[in-house]
């Protein structure tokens, strides 16, 4: 469908939910920004490498962007006019991310690491 095509072609998806007010959205973003501004050691308990970072925090330097190894993608990016070009990453990603599963977890699964309980940071209200 359209959502899958969007994700496949751009890697991102923007959704506007009329049930969420601008104020709630701002409060949520402020909460996340406050969380991410904490020291790495403060957030370490929220990272779960034993679950392949499928829930909770993925610290800086854990993921390498596909373009670092994909020569065809690099060539495509180099063909973009310089005024629109992105900077090609050289190694592991400098961003961290927080993975939050959407929807119910299955009661029986062959992939427990993909269906682990959510991580709720202590720093969240």
């Amino acid at each position: 469908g359209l959502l899958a095509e969007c994700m496949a072609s751009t890697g991102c998806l923007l959704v506007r939910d009329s049930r969420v007010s601008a104020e709630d959205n701002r409060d949520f973003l402020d909460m996340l920004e406050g969380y991410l501004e904490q020291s790495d050691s403060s957030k370490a308990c929220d990272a779960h490498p034993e679950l392949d970072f499928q829930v909770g925090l993925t610290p800086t330097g854990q993921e390498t962007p596909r373009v670092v190894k994909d020569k065809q993608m690099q060539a495509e990016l180099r063909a973009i006019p310089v005024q629109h070009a992105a900077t090609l990453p050289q190694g592991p990603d400098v961003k961290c991310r927080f993975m939050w599963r959407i929807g119910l977890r299955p009661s029986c699964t062959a992939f427990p690491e993909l269906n682990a309980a959510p991580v709720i940071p202590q720093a969240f209200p």
Side-chain angles (χ1 to χ4, degrees):
L2 184 58
L3 295 179
E5 289 175 28
C6 181
M7 290 299 292
S9 66
T10 66
C12 69
L13 174 67
L14 297 176
V15 177
R16 181 180 173 117
D17 186 337
S18 60
R19 298 169 298 178
V20 178
S21 70
E23 181 181 351
D24 287 343
N25 189 60
R26 185 188 65 245
D27 290 347
F28 175 76
L29 291 176
D30 288 346
M31 180 181 66
L32 277 181
E33 288 171 352
Y35 172 75
L36 295 171
E37 288 171 352
Q38 295 181 92
S39 68
D40 289 343
S41 61
S42 295
K43 297 180 291 198
C45 62
D46 299 328
H48 292 278
E50 74 278 10
L51 298 173
D52 298 315
F53 301 105
Q54 291 299 306
V55 294
L57 181 75
T58 302
T60 297
Q62 294 297 314
E63 300 175 312
T64 301
R66 185 175 71 190
V67 69
V68 170
K69 298 178 182 178
D70 187 324
K71 301 297 181 192
Q72 179 181 346
M73 190 180 285
Q74 291 173 15
E76 290 171 5
L77 288 174
R78 287 190 178 102
I80 296 172
V82 69
Q83 68 270 27
H84 301 296
T87 302
L88 290 173
Q90 301 299 312
D93 216 335
V94 297
K95 73 166 181 351
C96 66
R97 67 174 171 84
F98 196 91
M99 180 74 91
W100 183 266
R101 184 141 345 276
I102 297 173
L104 300 174
R105 296 187 331 263
S107 57
C108 183
T109 178
F111 306 100
E113 68 280 2
L114 297 179
N115 294 290
V119 173
I120 301 173
Q122 293 177 356
F124 282 9

